[in-house]
Amino acid sequence: YLPAEIVAALDLRKVELVKDSFVDEELAEHLSDLIYRVGLKGGGKTFVYVLFEHKSVAEEYVAFQVLRYEVRVWEQELRQGAKRLSPILPLVLYHGQGKWNVDERFAALVEFGGCEELRKYVPEFRYHLCDLAKLEDEEIAGEPILQVGLAALKYVFRRELGAKLAGILEPLNEAAERGRMEYLKTVVRYLSQAGKHLKAAQMKAALDEVFAAGEGGLMPTIAETWIKEGEQRGLQQGVQQGLQQGLLQGVQQRLEREKELVTRQLEQRFGKLAPTIQRQIKHLSAEQVEALLLAVFAFKAKADLANWLKQHSLKRPK
């Protein structure tokens, strides 16, 4: 979904999810984000910042929000000791009903009053827009869970959702068994609550068509429970906590294993760690855990570990 020339420059063997979110709490209802650290084939790294816009109409000041979030990413880099800032590729994913008619350039938000000389003093960047409404169904590609998530977002507000639902869910038959049912449950709940044109009978029929044979005939009963949960609960909590959950599980599990590994290494050298130290390690980002794994062997005492955590821990446990 990125420009071909950008993809050609990325080293896709080096893709790492950054755990932090940079979206403001007051905007979390209609914005959610994911940020990835990606290697460059020519050396170095870039960030791919994915901003999910959940409003039904395009937000005029998205470029301004993107700039704010980029600055926060760079501030974090500086706090971690970076000498140069990394480039950030902002990708805005939109699935609203209204046509996206907002200029993607930040400078378009600025009124120069006829003095074009001022333009050179204004940030000049743009975000890359992925408007799901403009994608044909066959253009929605990727891993099965990604296909289902994007297709669900594309059709959630449309009248044809019910007719399309079996086709939307079909890729999950090819998804890995682990986590598949939990992700399906999330999708069903989300569509049941947000899909205003979707009838419960259509949902049950689609699930029965796609999954009944493989789930021992229990799917209609399970689906009825999920649909009721979706109708009864307000699930507009952001797709990052819903549809994105399946995408994040594998990365988060790997990060937790790395934290357990570094904790065991430290305890083998220095004995049982204090609960405060354990909590600090628990709150480290993926990049910080990698740095700690390398730094362990240079520590001579627990004091060295405490000093390292003081310098590198950006999030303090409450």
Side-chain angles (χ1 to χ4, degrees), residues 213-284:
E215 304 297 339
L218 295 175
M219 184 54 72
T221 302
I222 298 173
E224 188 170 350
T225 301
W226 292 348
I227 292 167
K228 287 181 180 178
E229 290 176 350
E231 291 171 343
Q232 292 170 0
R233 297 171 55 189
L235 294 175
Q236 296 284 20
Q237 301 171 0
V239 178
Q240 183 178 0
Q241 298 175 353
L243 295 180
Q244 293 173 14
Q245 181 180 356
L247 301 175
L248 294 173
Q249 282 180 343
V251 177
Q252 291 175 335
Q253 289 171 357
R254 184 180 64 194
L255 177 58
E256 292 307 313
R257 288 196 298 269
E258 290 179 348
K259 290 178 182 178
E260 291 175 5
L261 173 62
V262 74
T263 299
R264 287 200 302 269
Q265 289 180 341
L266 288 165
E267 290 187 336
Q268 286 175 358
R269 295 197 63 191
F270 305 118
K272 186 69 175 177
L273 300 179
T276 53
I277 296 295
Q278 293 182 26
R279 286 196 295 270
Q280 283 181 289
I281 294 174
K282 182 179 179 180
H283 285 78
L284 293 177

Side-chain angles (χ1 to χ4, degrees), residues 35 100 128 174 179 183-184 198 201 205 224 228 241 244 247 252 285 289:
I35 183 166
W100 190 275
H128 180 71
E174 302 175 11
Y183 191 71
L184 175 62
L198 181 66
E224 188 170 350
K228 287 181 180 178
Q241 298 175 353
Q244 293 173 14
L247 301 175
Q252 291 175 335
S285 68
V289 171

Side-chain angles (χ1 to χ4, degrees), residues 68-226:
R68 292 178 62 186
Y69 304 148
E70 288 186 332
V71 169
R72 291 173 185 173
V73 174
W74 285 322
E75 286 176 340
Q76 179 163 286
E77 276 200 299
L78 292 174
R79 288 196 297 267
Q80 293 174 337
K83 300 301 182 184
R84 291 287 186 273
L85 303 177
S86 300
I88 301 174
L89 171 60
L91 170 64
V92 175
L93 190 145
Y94 174 66
H95 71 114
Q97 293 172 285
K99 181 180 179 181
W100 190 275
N101 53 6
V102 176
D103 198 316
E104 288 121 47
R105 298 171 302 159
F106 176 81
L109 297 175
V110 181
E111 177 57 63
F112 292 100
C115 183
E116 287 299 309
E117 284 298 310
L118 290 172
R119 186 176 294 273
K120 61 187 176 183
Y121 301 106
V122 171
E124 185 62 50
F125 78 95
R126 67 188 307 143
Y127 53 84
H128 180 71
L129 177 69
C130 180
D131 187 347
L132 291 178
K134 293 184 178 180
L135 288 180
E136 299 294 335
D137 289 354
E138 56 269 21
E139 293 181 285
I140 296 179
E143 294 296 318
I145 282 179
L146 177 62
Q147 292 183 46
V148 172
L150 293 181
L153 288 174
K154 176 180 176 179
Y155 284 103
V156 65
F157 301 127
R158 299 191 185 186
R159 293 185 180 275
E160 63 264 41
L161 173 59
K164 292 279 188 179
L165 188 54
I168 290 172
L169 299 175
E170 180 62 35
L172 278 181
N173 272 325
E174 302 175 11
E177 187 66 29
R178 184 177 182 182
R180 180 172 68 122
M181 289 295 288
E182 187 62 31
Y183 191 71
L184 175 62
K185 179 180 180 180
T186 300
V187 173
V188 170
R189 284 174 163 178
Y190 171 69
L191 293 178
S192 297
Q193 197 278 331
K196 296 181 180 180
H197 302 293
L198 181 66
K199 295 179 172 58
Q202 293 174 310
M203 174 73 82
K204 293 176 185 176
L207 290 166
D208 193 32
E209 176 183 343
V210 178
F211 299 105
E215 304 297 339
L218 295 175
M219 184 54 72
T221 302
I222 298 173
E224 188 170 350
T225 301
W226 292 348

